[in-house]
Amino acid sequence: MLPFAEALSRVLANVDLLGSERVSLRAAMGRVLAENLIAKTPLPRFDYSAMDGYAVRSADFLAPRPWLLPVRGESRAGATPPGLQPGSACRIFTGAALPLGADAVIAQEDTRAEGNRIALDEAPSVHQHIRRRGEDLEAGQIALGVGMRLNAHQLGLAAALDGVDILVARRPRVSIVCTGDELRAAGQDGSATSIPESNGLCVALEAERVGAYAELAPFASDDAETTRRGLVRILGSTDLLITIGGVSVGDHDVVRPALTAAGATLDFWKVQIKPGKPLVFGHAGKTRILGLPGNPVSAQLTFALFGLPLLRAMQGEREPSPHFHSARLVTELRQRPGRMGFYRARCTPEGVVPLDNQASGNVVSLARADALIAVPADSSGYDAGATVEILKLSEL
């Protein structure tokens, strides 16, 4: 069995990027940036007022106070500003361009109106209440770096730089094959011992959450040759093949030999973790392959731990691997040493609380969890109050 870190390292080794495409900013939400976004113009593009008030020259305040300035002209947002005459003030509004000759803005509340003049007792400092040209970004600076997964704020920045489209990584194609004669589609009739398939839906939705196109293939039976033929039809037409179930060593676990017979090369098929020991990783040409165990929690967690980082890496994301956080353990957590444990838990203001039922078939506890507590393979667990490492499910 491979340790978790080594298995993940193998999964992420030598990942080929999938290419790129240019899409509109609206369509780029959640996609991975494929090239540095360079500011073609300064941001802001011109000096403008950060306040409603009056644009002035600081040099006009060298004489003794108090100061009384006539108001001449007005600058408002979107209009060309007038020039500022020495010894005067120009009415200005937030966002309006600074008049030529002005180097400071006095806030309206810091002045007193006296007819068509303003009186003030405090001299302004140079650049007071002014957003200066290029103070956020100079032309030629990197605004957003390659490998960043784009959110609304970053795309808003791209729009502020006058962008209408952006170069992003191509979305990975994922094909999901659920195996087992016991499976039926949810809502369909079946025997009393049939099982509504749920793993495929979860894996597809999680794959789409990190930018992939996910397709659920027809169920595969427990017949090796039938499964082989189905896999042959898919291999080569997808970036990532996910199989669910049938990867252990039972008489009806036919996926691993079917993959080999279909021409796949398998790198490993056991990982030193629980849940999820039987995990197949390999490739066929440019298609990567992950064979997940069939127990629901095992399938869904191994995809989160290995499949999601792989899909992120395929898109060139900077940090595809899961990020561990430290947390205080509220109640004790025990395990038998031998495999690294990932235990479903809830984060609370007091710390992280492991859920009661950790069975690999218990999807209720997984649905209620928001974190995984990681316990090293050589550890027997922790007492309450210990500092533990956790993964937040929302960050995987």
Side-chain angles (χ1 to χ4, degrees):
M1 291 188 291
L2 288 180
F4 169 71
E6 183 179 346
L8 181 59
S9 177
R10 288 199 193 184
V11 168
L12 298 181
N14 304 315
V15 173
D16 294 324
L17 300 183
L18 299 177
S20 59
E21 59 182 344
R22 192 165 290 279
V23 301
S24 70
L25 298 186
R26 187 72 179 266
M29 181 66 182
R31 304 287 292 274
V32 176
L33 187 59
E35 66 177 4
N36 290 334
L37 180 65
I38 307 297
K40 296 180 180 178
T41 60
L43 188 69
R45 293 189 175 208
F46 51 85
D47 294 349
Y48 70 86
S49 177
M51 304 283 286
D52 289 346
Y54 299 89
V56 297
R57 293 192 327 154
S58 58
D60 290 333
F61 294 84
L62 299 178
R65 70 186 72 186
W67 298 282
L68 195 64
L69 300 178
V71 178
R72 294 173 179 157
E74 176 184 281
S75 181
R76 55 186 175 83
T80 301
L84 180 67
Q85 299 178 31
S88 67
C90 177
R91 186 76 167 106
I92 196 167
F93 300 96
T94 303
L98 198 67
L100 183 65
D103 62 2
V105 170
I106 301 169
Q108 180 173 315
E109 55 267 30
D110 294 334
T111 66
R112 300 185 308 277
E114 295 186 5
N116 68 341
R117 297 181 299 178
I118 57 168
L120 59 156
D121 299 318
E122 294 292 332
S125 58
V126 177
H127 303 143
Q128 174 179 295
H129 300 316
I130 294 173
R131 293 269 285 125
R132 302 187 66 195
R133 180 180 187 269
E135 73 174 53
D136 295 340
L137 285 171
E138 295 285 358
Q141 277 190 291
I142 295 175
L144 300 171
V146 64
M148 174 181 292
R149 190 169 291 274
L150 298 166
N151 63 27
H153 306 296
Q154 293 151 357
L155 291 166
L157 172 57
L161 291 169
D162 226 8
V164 295
D165 54 33
I166 197 164
L167 193 70
V168 295
R170 178 173 69 76
R171 297 178 66 179
R173 297 183 300 270
V174 178
S175 298
I176 303 165
V177 180
C178 303
T179 70
D181 292 337
E182 74 279 13
L183 299 180
R184 60 175 173 82
Q188 289 189 349
D189 293 334
S191 70
T193 56
S194 66
I195 298 173
E197 204 291 311
S198 59
N199 287 330
L201 172 66
C202 177
V203 168
L205 293 173
E206 284 288 271
E208 290 170 348
R209 179 172 66 85
V210 298
Y213 289 113
E215 179 181 18
L216 286 164
F219 297 157
S221 72
D222 288 331
D223 177 75
E225 177 56 24
T226 302
T227 299
R228 183 196 68 80
R229 290 197 298 268
L231 296 177
V232 166
R233 285 192 293 270
I234 296 172
L235 288 173
S237 64
T238 191
D239 298 308
L240 177 60
L241 168 64
I242 302 288
T243 66
I244 303 177
V247 294
S248 192
V249 293
D251 292 344
H252 301 287
D253 291 324
V254 301
V255 171
R256 189 148 50 102
L259 283 168
T260 302
T265 299
L266 304 185
D267 187 322
F268 62 81
W269 46 88
K270 286 183 182 180
V271 182
Q272 194 181 25
I273 62 173
K274 58 182 175 183
K277 179 176 72 171
L279 176 73
V280 171
F281 174 65
H283 68 276
K286 292 186 176 181
T287 299
R288 299 264 173 151
I289 300 166
L290 273 179
L292 310 179
N295 277 326
V297 175
S298 300
Q300 294 172 30
L301 287 191
T302 51
F303 182 70
L305 294 171
F306 296 94
L308 293 181
L310 176 55
L311 289 173
R312 291 180 184 277
M314 285 178 169
Q315 297 168 79
E317 193 165 349
R318 288 178 188 168
E319 297 181 0
S321 298
H323 179 66
F324 287 88
H325 301 270
S326 295
R328 178 183 177 274
L329 184 64
V330 175
T331 60
E332 75 168 8
L333 177 60
R334 299 297 173 195
Q335 74 169 11
R336 177 183 297 176
R339 287 188 282 161
M340 184 176 185
F342 290 93
Y343 297 93
R344 286 144 274 169
R346 290 286 303 174
C347 293
T348 72
E350 293 75 30
V352 63
V353 181
L355 298 180
D356 290 336
N357 192 329
Q358 296 288 335
S360 60
N362 189 333
V363 292
V364 176
S365 63
L366 184 53
R368 293 174 178 171
D370 61 7
L372 301 174
I373 301 171
V375 181
D378 60 357
S379 172
S380 59
Y382 300 101
D383 294 329
T387 299
V388 295
E389 296 293 297
I390 68 169
L391 294 170
K392 296 181 179 180
L393 291 176
S394 62
E395 295 180 357
L396 294 178

